[in-house]
Amino acid sequence: MTTWQIRAEPAPVTIDPAETALIIIDMQKDFLYPNGYGAFLGNDVTLLQRTIAPIQALLAAARGRGMLVIHTREGHLPDLSDCPPTKLNRWPPGNRIGDMGPMGRILIRGEVGHAIVDELAPAPGEIVIDKPGKNAFYATDLDEMLRTHGIRNLLVTGVTTDVCCSATVIAANDRGYNAIVLRDCVASYSPARHAAVLDVIKAQGGIFGWVTDSTAVLAAMQ
Ligand code: TIU
């Protein structure tokens, strides 16, 4: 059995690549592009764009080794029937999910802004999970898909560190998956929140998982 030993915090982690998936969380135009929803709300999207190149390198390596690749997208049905009022009412009218944004209706499935960025477009056959929540396990068949493929470890990438990545890592940990987060492949609109979340994940002996980077993972893959 081939194993990969990955340099990580709080300790190195050894994984079987056959039991490992690369998950790319919500790398959507609305969050990353200068004319997307995130930018429209006043966020600095360049902080998020820095993740694209290292995720591209990791994605190419994962594809080359036949690893399971999972993309997720946050978004809702056009009639908003899957969007709780608590989430809908978080922003003033005009800036809400379902309102017309710069790249179509904000976070609505099928709209331009909801799509994954061109640089990381899913390849035919790769799993794409449409999620109505922040946590990718909530109201999706992600858990079933991972179990079907015998996955026990997740290499976690995507945006944002403090929202959808954090929510997914915490949920994965409770479900018995090892979450290994790549610090250069996740990003937040707030560098302080990004750093804080990574600290929490690896605190207390790795209470939610491990923190590493793409250089260490690519080295372990050799
Ligand atoms: N995908 C994801 O993280 N959704 C968010 O709403 N993130 C924010 O940082 N707002």
Side-chain angles (χ1 to χ4, degrees):
M1 180 181 84
T2 307
T3 56
W4 293 345
Q5 298 200 330
I6 303 173
R7 175 172 51 77
E9 296 176 279
V13 57
T14 302
I15 56 173
D16 176 351
E19 298 180 340
T20 304
L22 170 64
I23 184 164
I24 306 176
I25 296 174
D26 299 1
M27 290 293 284
Q28 293 162 259
K29 296 179 182 180
D30 252 338
F31 294 125
L32 283 120
Y33 278 2
N35 52 342
Y37 179 49
F40 177 68
L41 293 177
N43 294 298
D44 177 4
V45 293
T46 64
L47 293 164
L48 272 55
Q49 288 167 3
R50 287 183 204 147
T51 62
I52 293 176
I55 297 177
Q56 272 183 313
L58 202 70
L59 180 58
R63 284 173 175 161
R65 283 158 186 75
M67 275 178 66
L68 188 72
V69 175
I70 295 174
H71 306 260
T72 73
R73 300 183 295 206
E74 180 178 355
H76 296 275
L77 299 170
D79 67 1
L80 297 172
S81 56
D82 60 350
C83 186
T86 46
K87 185 175 182 182
L88 198 56
N89 297 336
R90 208 58 66 82
W91 292 93
N95 287 357
R96 284 184 179 163
I97 292 167
D99 289 345
M100 190 52 70
M103 301 186 84
R105 290 182 68 203
I106 295 163
L107 291 185
I108 298 298
R109 294 180 191 168
E111 299 287 338
V112 173
H114 176 261
I116 291 171
V117 296
D118 297 332
E119 297 90 330
L120 298 170
E126 285 175 353
I127 295 170
V128 180
I129 299 276
D130 277 315
K131 60 199 248 312
K134 306 301 186 191
N135 154 18
F137 291 92
Y138 173 70
T140 72
D141 49 12
L142 175 60
D143 196 36
E144 191 179 351
M145 291 209 179
L146 295 175
R147 289 186 195 284
T148 298
H149 287 87
I151 298 298
R152 299 177 60 229
N153 315 300
L154 296 175
L155 299 177
V156 179
T157 66
V159 296
T160 60
T161 317
D162 47 324
V163 182
C164 292
C165 297
S166 171
T168 300
V169 164
I170 292 169
N173 181 64
D174 279 340
R175 283 173 168 80
Y177 298 100
N178 297 312
I180 302 159
V181 183
L182 282 64
R183 68 166 64 246
D184 56 329
C185 297
V186 295
S188 168
Y189 295 125
S190 154
R193 292 199 302 270
H194 167 85
V197 163
L198 295 180
D199 275 351
V200 169
I201 288 169
K202 65 185 171 68
Q204 302 185 66
I207 196 81
F208 291 126
W210 288 260
V211 177
T212 183
D213 57 33
S214 62
T215 306
V217 173
L218 290 169
M221 282 178 164
Q222 297 311 312

